[in-house]
Amino acid sequence: MDIVLSILIHSVAFTALLYLISVGLSVTMGLMGFANLAHGVFAMIGGYVAATLITAVHLPWWAAIALAPFIVSVLGVVAERVLYSRLYGKSELDQVLFSIGLLFVASAVAQKLYGPLLIQVPMPAALLEPVRVLGVSTSSYKLVLVATGATVALAVLYALERTTLGAMIRAAVENRAMAEGLGLNTSLLFSGTFALGTGLAALGGAIGAELFPITPAYGFVYLVYFMIVVAIAGLGTVRGAFIASFLVALTSTVSAYFVPEYGTIVLFAAVFLLLLARPQGLFGRLS
């Protein structure tokens, strides 16, 4: 029973991290129709920014975690206006080649600035203290990660379903041409949505550095997880991204516990079979 609870707790923490990084990618791909394989770069930058704020500026951990997403969001808006917007409407091949190129450039810059090895995002000692949940020992850090993921999930869901801005985003996802015909500024929506997506990715990269260590190869190493979540959920789905994150986290954790030598194979095989049955993903639309 303890093993089951340990797997569940770790899976929920893993879910929170995957959701934080992947939900922005799902919505931006659904809204913009842009195959952005460089989304993980913004998570990596979030981790580096948080580490720098803590070690060089001497900000408290919580302040660095809160500030890093805002800094990366600004960078995301600049990147969207200067770079990404030039490829809207271009072929998927053009978009993939661009984003892969951006991955290589970002990785090289990170290695030049921070070196080739992983860096730590120093945490307060209190977050490393063990606590007992349902009789099972875990770390306070995982509980903070779960709470952060749950709060963001509820906030994003509320924003998209209960606010005027959310209604405009949903309208642009469903039919961009009609939304523009009704007077919506889709260009501004694109920038705002991209800023939100990159900010959430940065939050995930910063707060999730214990699970996904920050290295110059971050965007390459973890890209497959983010893309799998989007593929399972379907483009532009918020609830679907959460469910897909949980399925990926649970499958990965269970296989790592019981068949560690085949863990990745089990995950990829499960995704392969699912996409054969549902190539559009489980949901395939903003929901």
Side-chain angles (χ1 to χ4, degrees), residues 24 29 48 53 147 254 256 266-267:
M29 286 182 71
Y48 279 123
L53 291 175
V254 169
V266 171
L267 175 61

Side-chain angles (χ1 to χ4, degrees), residues 25-42:
L25 177 60
S26 177
V27 174
T28 52
M29 286 182 71
L31 174 59
M32 303 175 185
F34 195 102
N36 182 21
L37 301 188
H39 186 73
V41 164
F42 298 100

Side-chain angles (χ1 to χ4, degrees), residues 258-284:
F258 295 107
V259 284
E261 65 274 24
Y262 301 110
T264 305
I265 295 175
V266 171
L267 175 61
F268 290 169
V271 173
F272 178 76
L273 293 174
L274 176 62
L275 294 180
L276 280 179
R278 295 277 299 180
Q280 77 276 24
L282 293 177
F283 300 92

Side-chain angles (χ1 to χ4, degrees), residues 17-127:
L17 174 56
L18 283 178
Y19 180 80
L20 284 172
I21 299 177
S22 302
V23 67
L25 177 60
S26 177
V27 174
T28 52
M29 286 182 71
L31 174 59
M32 303 175 185
F34 195 102
N36 182 21
L37 301 188
H39 186 73
V41 164
F42 298 100
M44 177 189 73
I45 295 173
Y48 279 123
V49 168
T52 301
L53 291 175
I54 294 171
T55 58
V57 186
H58 306 295
L59 287 183
W61 179 84
W62 62 268
I65 297 299
L67 185 58
F70 288 100
I71 295 174
V72 178
S73 290
V74 174
L75 178 62
V77 170
V78 173
E80 190 273 334
R81 287 290 84 198
V82 175
L83 300 174
Y84 283 87
S85 62
R86 299 176 182 273
L87 286 128
Y88 293 157
K90 300 291 185 180
S91 70
E92 288 83 358
L93 178 60
D94 289 337
Q95 296 172 0
V96 166
L97 290 176
F98 162 76
S99 55
I100 289 293
L102 184 58
L103 265 175
F104 278 107
V105 171
S107 178
V109 170
Q111 183 166 327
K112 179 68 175 178
L113 294 177
Y114 293 94
L117 303 179
L118 67 87
I119 66 164
Q120 298 291 329
V121 179
M123 291 193 303
L127 291 184

